[in-house]
Amino acid sequence: MIVPNGFKTAVMYAGFWTLFAVNFAVMFILLMMCALGVPSGIMIAVLGALVIIFKADFVITAIAPQTMLFGGISAVFASAFVGLLAVKMGFGISRLFVKVRRKCERLKYENIE
């Protein structure tokens, strides 16, 4: 059974756009985690450091200052990693688009000759 090239290209593009939509949703979630996690982690780490430096016992939290300091730093690095992972996913999906486009152009021009 011979499948026309136009149908092959339509299926390839439809598959790519489906994968792109899923990738976009995951990237959006990861970038939001990064955008919220980095400033929050910095704020918690700075607050923990200030409590340690100035012996601020009047700051009422259930968390120890050392936990706030190192937990905030950990949150910053984890959030930055998640943001870089989202950027890497963007590079991967753009590389896949170039491959799909080249394959579809070859199929299109194969039909002309």
Side-chain angles (χ1 to χ4, degrees):
M1 179 175 158
I2 298 175
V3 179
N5 288 343
F7 181 72
K8 285 182 189 177
T9 58
V11 168
M12 287 176 69
Y13 276 130
F16 170 76
W17 288 115
T18 304
L19 185 64
F20 177 78
V22 171
N23 191 14
F24 176 78
V26 171
M27 279 178 58
F28 184 75
I29 291 169
L30 292 176
L31 286 173
M32 287 301 295
M33 286 172 56
C34 178
L36 295 174
V38 171
S40 300
I42 290 172
M43 186 174 60
I44 290 172
V46 167
L47 184 61
L50 291 176
V51 169
I52 291 171
I53 291 171
F54 295 114
K55 306 286 186 212
D57 295 332
F58 57 85
V59 176
I60 301 172
T61 61
I63 304 171
Q66 294 83 6
T67 305
M68 290 173 63
L69 176 64
F70 293 111
I73 292 171
S74 299
V76 168
F77 283 112
S79 298
F81 171 74
V82 166
L84 290 174
L85 184 65
V87 170
K88 185 71 173 172
M89 286 175 63
F91 287 150
I93 199 74
S94 64
R95 203 174 311 123
L96 180 65
F97 175 72
V98 169
K99 287 180 183 179
V100 168
R101 189 189 65 193
R102 284 182 184 162
K103 178 73 175 171
C104 289
E105 284 179 358
R106 269 193 235 119
L107 286 173
K108 184 172 72 170
Y109 291 124
E110 178 182 290
N111 196 17
I112 292 174
E113 295 173 358

